[in-house]
PDB file of all heavy atoms in Angstrom:
ATOM      1  N   ASP B   1     -16.096  14.369  -4.626  1.00 96.00           N
ATOM      2  CA  ASP B   1     -15.773  13.744  -5.915  1.00 96.00           C
ATOM      3  C   ASP B   1     -14.991  14.681  -6.828  1.00 96.00           C
ATOM      4  O   ASP B   1     -14.000  14.272  -7.445  1.00 96.00           O
ATOM      5  CB  ASP B   1     -17.046  13.256  -6.612  1.00 96.00           C
ATOM      6  CG  ASP B   1     -17.697  12.095  -5.871  1.00 96.00           C
ATOM      7  OD1 ASP B   1     -16.978  11.373  -5.146  1.00 96.00           O
ATOM      8  OD2 ASP B   1     -18.917  11.906  -6.019  1.00 96.00           O
ATOM      9  N   THR B   2     -15.406  15.938  -6.914  1.00 96.00           N
ATOM     10  CA  THR B   2     -14.690  16.866  -7.793  1.00 96.00           C
ATOM     11  C   THR B   2     -13.302  17.187  -7.242  1.00 96.00           C
ATOM     12  O   THR B   2     -12.356  17.367  -8.009  1.00 96.00           O
ATOM     13  CB  THR B   2     -15.487  18.168  -8.008  1.00 96.00           C
ATOM     14  OG1 THR B   2     -15.857  18.703  -6.740  1.00 96.00           O
ATOM     15  CG2 THR B   2     -16.732  17.921  -8.834  1.00 96.00           C
ATOM     16  N   ALA B   3     -13.170  17.254  -5.912  1.00 96.00           N
ATOM     17  CA  ALA B   3     -11.858  17.511  -5.319  1.00 96.00           C
ATOM     18  C   ALA B   3     -10.906  16.357  -5.586  1.00 96.00           C
ATOM     19  O   ALA B   3      -9.740  16.567  -5.944  1.00 96.00           O
ATOM     20  CB  ALA B   3     -11.993  17.756  -3.814  1.00 96.00           C
ATOM     21  N   VAL B   4     -11.388  15.129  -5.431  1.00 97.00           N
ATOM     22  CA  VAL B   4     -10.550  13.951  -5.693  1.00 97.00           C
ATOM     23  C   VAL B   4     -10.134  13.921  -7.162  1.00 97.00           C
ATOM     24  O   VAL B   4      -8.964  13.677  -7.479  1.00 97.00           O
ATOM     25  CB  VAL B   4     -11.282  12.655  -5.273  1.00 97.00           C
ATOM     26  CG1 VAL B   4     -10.559  11.431  -5.805  1.00 97.00           C
ATOM     27  CG2 VAL B   4     -11.414  12.582  -3.765  1.00 97.00           C
ATOM     28  N   GLU B   5     -11.074  14.189  -8.063  1.00 96.00           N
ATOM     29  CA  GLU B   5     -10.741  14.222  -9.495  1.00 96.00           C
ATOM     30  C   GLU B   5      -9.705  15.303  -9.791  1.00 96.00           C
ATOM     31  O   GLU B   5      -8.772  15.088 -10.575  1.00 96.00           O
ATOM     32  CB  GLU B   5     -12.005  14.469 -10.320  1.00 96.00           C
ATOM     33  CG  GLU B   5     -12.940  13.284 -10.378  1.00 96.00           C
ATOM     34  CD  GLU B   5     -14.264  13.624 -11.049  1.00 96.00           C
ATOM     35  OE1 GLU B   5     -14.330  14.632 -11.803  1.00 96.00           O
ATOM     36  OE2 GLU B   5     -15.231  12.890 -10.817  1.00 96.00           O
ATOM     37  N   GLY B   6      -9.853  16.465  -9.167  1.00 96.00           N
ATOM     38  CA  GLY B   6      -8.892  17.552  -9.360  1.00 96.00           C
ATOM     39  C   GLY B   6      -7.505  17.192  -8.873  1.00 96.00           C
ATOM     40  O   GLY B   6      -6.505  17.487  -9.536  1.00 96.00           O
ATOM     41  N   ILE B   7      -7.429  16.530  -7.722  1.00 97.00           N
ATOM     42  CA  ILE B   7      -6.135  16.105  -7.186  1.00 97.00           C
ATOM     43  C   ILE B   7      -5.494  15.079  -8.105  1.00 97.00           C
ATOM     44  O   ILE B   7      -4.296  15.147  -8.401  1.00 97.00           O
ATOM     45  CB  ILE B   7      -6.282  15.547  -5.758  1.00 97.00           C
ATOM     46  CG1 ILE B   7      -6.699  16.654  -4.788  1.00 97.00           C
ATOM     47  CG2 ILE B   7      -4.977  14.897  -5.284  1.00 97.00           C
ATOM     48  CD1 ILE B   7      -7.133  16.162  -3.421  1.00 97.00           C
ATOM     49  N   ILE B   8      -6.287  14.128  -8.572  1.00 97.00           N
ATOM     50  CA  ILE B   8      -5.752  13.090  -9.466  1.00 97.00           C
ATOM     51  C   ILE B   8      -5.184  13.717 -10.733  1.00 97.00           C
ATOM     52  O   ILE B   8      -4.064  13.403 -11.155  1.00 97.00           O
ATOM     53  CB  ILE B   8      -6.833  12.049  -9.807  1.00 97.00           C
ATOM     54  CG1 ILE B   8      -7.155  11.208  -8.570  1.00 97.00           C
ATOM     55  CG2 ILE B   8      -6.378  11.154 -10.959  1.00 97.00           C
ATOM     56  CD1 ILE B   8      -8.365  10.309  -8.734  1.00 97.00           C
ATOM     57  N   LYS B   9      -5.934  14.636 -11.351  1.00 97.00           N
ATOM     58  CA  LYS B   9      -5.455  15.272 -12.584  1.00 97.00           C
ATOM     59  C   LYS B   9      -4.191  16.077 -12.343  1.00 97.00           C
ATOM     60  O   LYS B   9      -3.269  16.064 -13.150  1.00 97.00           O
ATOM     61  CB  LYS B   9      -6.545  16.181 -13.166  1.00 97.00           C
ATOM     62  CG  LYS B   9      -7.657  15.436 -13.844  1.00 97.00           C
ATOM     63  CD  LYS B   9      -8.682  16.398 -14.404  1.00 97.00           C
ATOM     64  CE  LYS B   9      -9.874  15.621 -14.950  1.00 97.00           C
ATOM     65  NZ  LYS B   9     -10.988  16.514 -15.315  1.00 97.00           N
ATOM     66  N   ALA B  10      -4.143  16.791 -11.217  1.00 96.00           N
ATOM     67  CA  ALA B  10      -2.998  17.658 -10.934  1.00 96.00           C
ATOM     68  C   ALA B  10      -1.753  16.876 -10.530  1.00 96.00           C
ATOM     69  O   ALA B  10      -0.635  17.273 -10.842  1.00 96.00           O
ATOM     70  CB  ALA B  10      -3.365  18.655  -9.841  1.00 96.00           C
ATOM     71  N   ALA B  11      -1.921  15.752  -9.824  1.00 97.00           N
ATOM     72  CA  ALA B  11      -0.777  15.014  -9.285  1.00 97.00           C
ATOM     73  C   ALA B  11      -0.287  13.898 -10.203  1.00 97.00           C
ATOM     74  O   ALA B  11       0.773  13.331  -9.973  1.00 97.00           O
ATOM     75  CB  ALA B  11      -1.124  14.427  -7.919  1.00 97.00           C
ATOM     76  N   HIS B  12      -1.026  13.595 -11.249  1.00 96.00           N
ATOM     77  CA  HIS B  12      -0.699  12.457 -12.111  1.00 96.00           C
ATOM     78  C   HIS B  12       0.517  12.711 -12.988  1.00 96.00           C
ATOM     79  O   HIS B  12       0.616  13.743 -13.648  1.00 96.00           O
ATOM     80  CB  HIS B  12      -1.909  12.142 -13.003  1.00 96.00           C
ATOM     81  CG  HIS B  12      -1.703  10.966 -13.893  1.00 96.00           C
ATOM     82  ND1 HIS B  12      -1.268  11.099 -15.184  1.00 96.00           N
ATOM     83  CD2 HIS B  12      -1.849   9.647 -13.665  1.00 96.00           C
ATOM     84  CE1 HIS B  12      -1.166   9.903 -15.725  1.00 96.00           C
ATOM     85  NE2 HIS B  12      -1.513   8.999 -14.823  1.00 96.00           N
ATOM     86  N   THR B  13       1.465  11.790 -12.969  1.00 94.00           N
ATOM     87  CA  THR B  13       2.598  11.819 -13.903  1.00 94.00           C
ATOM     88  C   THR B  13       2.624  10.557 -14.747  1.00 94.00           C
ATOM     89  O   THR B  13       3.305  10.499 -15.758  1.00 94.00           O
ATOM     90  CB  THR B  13       3.960  11.926 -13.170  1.00 94.00           C
ATOM     91  OG1 THR B  13       4.189  10.727 -12.429  1.00 94.00           O
ATOM     92  CG2 THR B  13       4.013  13.134 -12.263  1.00 94.00           C
ATOM     93  N   GLY B  14       1.926   9.520 -14.283  1.00 92.00           N
ATOM     94  CA  GLY B  14       1.919   8.246 -14.994  1.00 92.00           C
ATOM     95  C   GLY B  14       3.053   7.328 -14.578  1.00 92.00           C
ATOM     96  O   GLY B  14       3.186   6.224 -15.089  1.00 92.00           O
ATOM     97  N   LYS B  15       3.869   7.781 -13.641  1.00 89.00           N
ATOM     98  CA  LYS B  15       5.007   6.979 -13.194  1.00 89.00           C
ATOM     99  C   LYS B  15       4.746   6.458 -11.790  1.00 89.00           C
ATOM    100  O   LYS B  15       3.939   7.011 -11.043  1.00 89.00           O
ATOM    101  CB  LYS B  15       6.278   7.815 -13.222  1.00 89.00           C
ATOM    102  CG  LYS B  15       6.637   8.268 -14.622  1.00 89.00           C
ATOM    103  CD  LYS B  15       7.992   8.900 -14.655  1.00 89.00           C
ATOM    104  CE  LYS B  15       8.375   9.098 -16.098  1.00 89.00           C
ATOM    105  NZ  LYS B  15       8.537  10.457 -16.485  1.00 89.00           N
ATOM    106  N   ILE B  16       5.463   5.422 -11.424  1.00 86.00           N
ATOM    107  CA  ILE B  16       5.328   4.854 -10.089  1.00 86.00           C
ATOM    108  C   ILE B  16       5.681   5.919  -9.052  1.00 86.00           C
ATOM    109  O   ILE B  16       6.567   6.741  -9.271  1.00 86.00           O
ATOM    110  CB  ILE B  16       6.203   3.585  -9.944  1.00 86.00           C
ATOM    111  CG1 ILE B  16       5.819   2.802  -8.709  1.00 86.00           C
ATOM    112  CG2 ILE B  16       7.664   3.933  -9.966  1.00 86.00           C
ATOM    113  CD1 ILE B  16       6.385   1.395  -8.681  1.00 86.00           C
ATOM    114  N   GLY B  17       4.945   5.940  -7.948  1.00 86.00           N
ATOM    115  CA  GLY B  17       5.203   6.911  -6.897  1.00 86.00           C
ATOM    116  C   GLY B  17       4.375   8.169  -6.992  1.00 86.00           C
ATOM    117  O   GLY B  17       4.652   9.146  -6.297  1.00 86.00           O
ATOM    118  N   ASP B  18       3.338   8.183  -7.831  1.00 91.00           N
ATOM    119  CA  ASP B  18       2.469   9.361  -7.939  1.00 91.00           C
ATOM    120  C   ASP B  18       1.762   9.662  -6.628  1.00 91.00           C
ATOM    121  O   ASP B  18       1.435  10.802  -6.360  1.00 91.00           O
ATOM    122  CB  ASP B  18       1.423   9.170  -9.042  1.00 91.00           C
ATOM    123  CG  ASP B  18       1.943   9.613 -10.397  1.00 91.00           C
ATOM    124  OD1 ASP B  18       3.054  10.160 -10.469  1.00 91.00           O
ATOM    125  OD2 ASP B  18       1.216   9.412 -11.384  1.00 91.00           O
ATOM    126  N   GLY B  19       1.507   8.646  -5.811  1.00 93.00           N
ATOM    127  CA  GLY B  19       0.922   8.885  -4.500  1.00 93.00           C
ATOM    128  C   GLY B  19      -0.406   8.199  -4.297  1.00 93.00           C
ATOM    129  O   GLY B  19      -0.846   7.369  -5.098  1.00 93.00           O
ATOM    130  N   LYS B  20      -1.071   8.573  -3.204  1.00 96.00           N
ATOM    131  CA  LYS B  20      -2.358   7.992  -2.843  1.00 96.00           C
ATOM    132  C   LYS B  20      -3.253   9.077  -2.278  1.00 96.00           C
ATOM    133  O   LYS B  20      -2.793  10.091  -1.769  1.00 96.00           O
ATOM    134  CB  LYS B  20      -2.181   6.912  -1.781  1.00 96.00           C
ATOM    135  CG  LYS B  20      -1.513   5.656  -2.294  1.00 96.00           C
ATOM    136  CD  LYS B  20      -2.052   4.439  -1.552  1.00 96.00           C
ATOM    137  CE  LYS B  20      -1.621   3.164  -2.206  1.00 96.00           C
ATOM    138  NZ  LYS B  20      -0.228   2.860  -2.111  1.00 96.00           N
ATOM    139  N   ILE B  21      -4.562   8.818  -2.338  1.00 97.00           N
ATOM    140  CA  ILE B  21      -5.565   9.709  -1.757  1.00 97.00           C
ATOM    141  C   ILE B  21      -6.401   8.897  -0.787  1.00 97.00           C
ATOM    142  O   ILE B  21      -6.878   7.817  -1.134  1.00 97.00           O
ATOM    143  CB  ILE B  21      -6.459  10.335  -2.843  1.00 97.00           C
ATOM    144  CG1 ILE B  21      -5.617  11.152  -3.819  1.00 97.00           C
ATOM    145  CG2 ILE B  21      -7.548  11.185  -2.207  1.00 97.00           C
ATOM    146  CD1 ILE B  21      -6.383  11.648  -5.026  1.00 97.00           C
ATOM    147  N   PHE B  22      -6.568   9.432   0.410  1.00 98.00           N
ATOM    148  CA  PHE B  22      -7.397   8.782   1.428  1.00 98.00           C
ATOM    149  C   PHE B  22      -8.557   9.718   1.753  1.00 98.00           C
ATOM    150  O   PHE B  22      -8.348  10.907   1.989  1.00 98.00           O
ATOM    151  CB  PHE B  22      -6.592   8.523   2.708  1.00 98.00           C
ATOM    152  CG  PHE B  22      -5.349   7.712   2.478  1.00 98.00           C
ATOM    153  CD1 PHE B  22      -4.129   8.331   2.271  1.00 98.00           C
ATOM    154  CD2 PHE B  22      -5.405   6.329   2.460  1.00 98.00           C
ATOM    155  CE1 PHE B  22      -2.980   7.588   2.051  1.00 98.00           C
ATOM    156  CE2 PHE B  22      -4.253   5.576   2.246  1.00 98.00           C
ATOM    157  CZ  PHE B  22      -3.044   6.203   2.040  1.00 98.00           C
ATOM    158  N   VAL B  23      -9.780   9.183   1.779  1.00 98.00           N
ATOM    159  CA  VAL B  23     -10.964   9.965   2.119  1.00 98.00           C
ATOM    160  C   VAL B  23     -11.593   9.346   3.356  1.00 98.00           C
ATOM    161  O   VAL B  23     -11.867   8.147   3.379  1.00 98.00           O
ATOM    162  CB  VAL B  23     -11.976   9.981   0.952  1.00 98.00           C
ATOM    163  CG1 VAL B  23     -13.204  10.802   1.331  1.00 98.00           C
ATOM    164  CG2 VAL B  23     -11.339  10.508  -0.319  1.00 98.00           C
ATOM    165  N   SER B  24     -11.809  10.167   4.381  1.00 97.00           N
ATOM    166  CA  SER B  24     -12.421   9.667   5.612  1.00 97.00           C
ATOM    167  C   SER B  24     -13.476  10.657   6.111  1.00 97.00           C
ATOM    168  O   SER B  24     -13.453  11.839   5.764  1.00 97.00           O
ATOM    169  CB  SER B  24     -11.357   9.420   6.684  1.00 97.00           C
ATOM    170  OG  SER B  24     -10.587  10.575   6.886  1.00 97.00           O
TER     171      SER B  24
END
């Protein structure tokens, strides 16, 4: 959970194409 939150905060620009995260 903390890793996903960290990735979201770091990768977020607010524009289309920011990306996706997959957890398996």
Side-chain angles (χ1 to χ4, degrees):
D1 292 335
T2 52
V4 168
E5 288 172 20
I7 293 169
I8 290 170
K9 284 181 186 171
H12 182 265
T13 67
K15 297 189 170 116
I16 194 166
D18 272 354
K20 289 212 169 69
I21 300 172
F22 304 94
V23 180
S24 54

